[in-house]
Amino acid sequence: MRRPTCFPSPPPETDPETGAQYLGDIVISIPRAMLQAQAGGHPLEAEVQLLVVHGTLHLLGHDHAEVEEKARMWQAQAEVMSRLGLSYVKIQDT
């Protein structure tokens, strides 16, 4: 899976309008997401939701460079996707 591009905020940063902690930005290429959705056999909307979940987990500190951290991140990702009713979305691990 090509991951979304994430731009984490240097901590701590607070949203001036809401007072909530600002984690950073996630950028998703829709043309690339379309290709990934086709390869995964699911709708574009589901792929974008997966990429948002994946990117958010990165902003929260998850990574998948090492086997152990990948297992933790994939588990967290699967739990969130299931809660969204998207457990059918197959993660392309390339």
Side-chain angles (χ1 to χ4, degrees):
M1 173 174 88
R2 290 278 305 256
R3 69 183 199 185
T5 304
C6 300
F7 299 97
S9 162
E13 191 169 331
T14 305
D15 183 309
E17 293 179 17
T18 66
Q21 182 181 0
Y22 173 72
L23 298 175
D25 298 313
I26 300 169
V27 177
I28 297 171
S29 165
I30 296 301
R32 177 66 186 180
M34 287 173 60
L35 293 173
Q36 290 177 193
Q38 290 171 348
H42 50 259
L44 173 61
E45 181 179 359
E47 182 67 25
V48 171
Q49 289 171 312
L50 169 61
L51 293 170
V52 168
V53 169
H54 189 90
T56 301
L57 289 172
H58 275 294
L59 291 176
L60 291 170
H62 286 268
D63 202 354
H64 46 84
E66 302 295 329
V67 174
E68 297 84 19
E69 54 188 19
K70 180 179 177 179
R72 283 190 298 273
M73 184 172 183
W74 258 234
Q75 179 62 37
Q77 191 167 259
E79 289 172 10
V80 173
M81 294 298 286
S82 178
R83 292 182 110 184
L84 293 173
L86 297 167
S87 57
Y88 67 92
V89 176
K90 302 297 179 230
I91 300 169
Q92 304 296 308
D93 191 10
T94 59

